[in-house]
Every structure is written in C-alpha cells, then in structure tokens.
C-alpha cells in the first residue's frame, strides 16, 4: 500500500466528545498529558537536534511489567530500535548497576567517540471511560474490572487493611522492594490514594535512575537523556503520557528539554511512523484481523488512515464482508462517510445485507447524498 492521512474536524479521536468523563479526569489529575505516541515522537525530534538517533544511541526503558505498557515500549522501539529492558513492577528500576552497565555496553559509539543513552522511566495508572481512577477493562475481559497499576493497588490494599509486610520475600522480590521503598517515602500512618502513590512512585523511579547514572556513566565520554513521566491508560486501548522530568546531559552540561519539547512539531516523525505501520492496519481490516487492528490502534495508528485510492479501513472491511471489523470501526470512528478517490463511501461499496444494515443504522450515507 501507498497511503496518506486525512484530518478534519470530522475525523480523529475527539476524545473530549467520545469520553467526556475520562477527559475531565485526565485534565484534572494529569494536566499537560498527551498521546503516548506523540510523546515519544516529540522527544525523538528534540533529541535529534543533539545528534541522538537510533543509529547513535540506545534507549533503556523502565515501565511496569503489565502488558498494558507494551504499546509504549513498541513505539519507542519503532523509533530508537530495540530498547534495553530495565523494567520491574510499577516501573521501578531494580536491575541495579549490573543491569545498567550491560545496557551501556550495547550502545553504538559515534564518530567522535562519545556514547549516547536515552532513559525512559515511568509508572502507570488507568482511568476508565467513566473517569474512575485505576480502573481498566482488558482485552478478552471486557465485562471485568481490572486495575492498573496492580502492584500499587496491592500496596494500597495492604495499607488500608493494615496488612503491610515490609520484610524481603525471596518469592516476591520486586513487590517486597517496592513496599519497602514506598513506605519509606510516605507519611507515617497515612493511607494515600492511588494517584498519590503513583506520583510518589514517579519521584522514586526518577531518583533511582539518577543514582544509578551517577555510579555507571562516565560524563567525559557519555551523553544521556532522562525522560520521565506517568503513563495513563484510557478507554479502548488508548494511551497517554504525562511528561515529568526531561533533560539532557551533554559535554558536562545539563540542558532542560521542557521548552524544546513543548515547541517541537512531531508531525513529520509521526507521519513516518504511521506510514510504516498503517498499511498493516489496512491489510488487517481487509483480512478481518481484528486482533491486529486493535494492537496497531493501541500503538497510535489512526483508524481513519487511507490508501493510495483514499480507501479507509471501513471501505476495505466492508468490501470484504468482514462484519466484526465493520462493527468495531463503526463504534470507534467519528466519520463513517469518508469518500475514496471515486467519491464512494463504505456504504457504496457494501454488498452484504447485514453490513448494509449496520452502516445505515450508524449514519452511513451514499457519496452522492453528501453535501460537500
């Protein structure tokens, strides 16, 4: 496929319209949070100005082991190449000096002899469509409430039930260490909510990576960037990121990246990423591969992408009679009447009676009936 992207006031996610309660909670508790793919693209564009790239640097990632964090890692890998995993429960950095030194040894060496590292570190939290903190509905368990971060929720339950055990458990090392570190940084006798625990966790993770950097990195030959924050998992597999501390240490100088990040245009890099992966989404729509479509969407690929003939996933799935894909798209697209290069909508291409009924019940129209 060759393909292009079309954006208008009728397309895109429009999450403030689709999920107003979620959006209200996101703005209230994580003001400044952006789409997670955009966060990675912006940070890549900023660091590229300092000669950081997938050819010159290695990315190290510490996020929670939860599968919900996987799309964020996949996006990092798409831009930076295969990242080095330094993750533990809740995003804590328990790999120690040995783990960091192993990653440092894998970094490319630039022509000037300097080595470059990028650290992505973040805890995570979920917000449901209804705006409930810590609540997520996972793939395959749509009717069951789940939690994120599970490790921090377990700690919260320990505090509430007065059942906290801070002894080191050889059969539960990471959770034991998490409990020890977190309790040391909480007010005695307090029972914080999940938001507070997540923010404390972010502070500790940042301290961990900075302490490890001090005893592993040689500033005379190494440049490094630290990008911290909090991952937020929203409805329908959406992912957002609240930027925390963002800085670069190069040639002995610390450079704050916040202003550069805010002013950076991630468009070209995001388009390049989407161009590599969006054809796969369109092929999955044509083949009825709903699992793959959901995976690509969770990685930031927009559902309104179209091919060289301006055909969208809805056009292709309709033509091939992929009813489950059509149902999914109708629930998640804001505009079901995009036209291909010949002026046809998905309804114009439909031949299956059940799909025609689905389309018309969801506002689909024939191309000739749409006023330009």
């Amino acid at each position: 496929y060759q393909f292009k992207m079309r954006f208008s006031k009728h397309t895109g996610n429009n999450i403030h319209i689709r999920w107003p309660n979620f959006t209200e909670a996101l703005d209230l508790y994580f003001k400044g949070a952006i789409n997670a793919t955009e966060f990675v693209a912006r940070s890549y564009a900023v660091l590229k100005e300092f000669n950081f790239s997938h050819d010159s640097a290695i990315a190290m990632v510490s996020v929670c082991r939860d599968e919900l964090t996987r799309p964020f890692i996949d996006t990092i890998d798409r831009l930076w190449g295969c990242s080095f995993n330094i993750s533990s429960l809740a995003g804590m950095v328990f790999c120690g000096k040995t783990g960091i030194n192993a990653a440092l040894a894998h970094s490319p060496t630039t022509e000037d002899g300097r080595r470059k590292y990028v650290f992505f570190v973040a805890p995570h939290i979920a917000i449901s469509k209804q705006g409930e903190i810590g609540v997520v509905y996972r793939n395959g368990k749509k009717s069951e409430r789940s939690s994120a971060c599970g490790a921090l929720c377990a700690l919260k339950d320990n505090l509430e039930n007065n059942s906290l055990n801070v002894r080191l458990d050889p059969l539960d090392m990471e959770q034991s260490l998490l409990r020890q570190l977190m309790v040391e940084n909480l007010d005695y006798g307090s029972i914080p909510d999940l938001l507070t625990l997540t923010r404390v966790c972010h502070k500790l993770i940042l301290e961990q990576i900075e302490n490890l950097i001090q005893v592993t990195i040689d500033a005379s030959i190494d440049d490094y960037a630290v990008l911290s924050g909090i991952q937020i998992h929203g409805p329908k597999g959406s992912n957002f990121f609240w930027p925390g501390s963002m800085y670069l240490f190069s040639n002995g100088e610390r450079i704050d990246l916040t202003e550069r990040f805010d002013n950076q245009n991630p468009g070209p890099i995001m388009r390049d990423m989407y161009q590599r992966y969006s054809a796969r989404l369109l092929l999955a729509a044509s083949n009825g591969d709903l699992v793959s479509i959901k995976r690509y969407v969770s990685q930031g690929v927009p559902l309104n992408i179209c091919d060289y003939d301006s055909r969208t996933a809805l056009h292709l799935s309709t033509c091939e009679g992929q009813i489950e894909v059509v149902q999914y798209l109708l629930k998640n697209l804001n505009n079901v009447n995009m036209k291909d290069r010949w002026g046809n909508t998905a309804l114009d291409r439909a031949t299956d009676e059940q799909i025609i009924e689905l389309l018309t019940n969801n506002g689909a129209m024939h191309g000739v009936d749409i006023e330009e």
Side-chain angles (χ1 to χ4, degrees), residues 60-62 84-88 91-104 117 119 121 181 204-219 222 224 226 247:
M60 290 173 245
V61 182
S62 188
F84 194 98
N85 183 356
I86 56 173
S87 301
S88 299
M92 287 288 185
V93 190
F94 292 142
C95 65
K97 295 184 291 184
T98 300
I100 298 296
N101 279 322
L104 300 184
Y117 318 110
F119 296 90
V121 293
L181 283 174
L204 289 174
I205 293 169
L206 186 57
E207 289 177 358
Q208 281 184 312
I209 201 63
E210 290 177 336
N211 289 338
L212 286 166
I213 285 171
Q214 292 303 312
V215 296
T216 56
I217 286 183
D218 184 350
D222 297 335
Y224 64 89
V226 174
Y247 64 88

Side-chain angles (χ1 to χ4, degrees), residues 1 5 22 28 48 67 74 77 92 135 153 170 190 195 203 209 222 229 278 283 291-292 364 368:
Y1 285 98
M5 295 178 67
F22 165 78
L28 177 62
K48 198 172 182 182
E67 77 277 0
D74 289 343
D77 289 351
M92 287 288 185
V135 176
C153 286
S190 67
L195 285 165
K203 171 179 169 289
I209 201 63
D222 297 335
S278 295
L283 184 60
V291 172
S292 293
V368 296

Side-chain angles (χ1 to χ4, degrees), residues 5 35 37-38 41 266-275 300:
M5 295 178 67
N35 175 276
T37 300
E38 182 180 345
I269 289 176
M270 292 183 72
R271 278 194 296 272
D272 182 61
M273 280 198 299
Y274 292 150
Q275 285 178 352

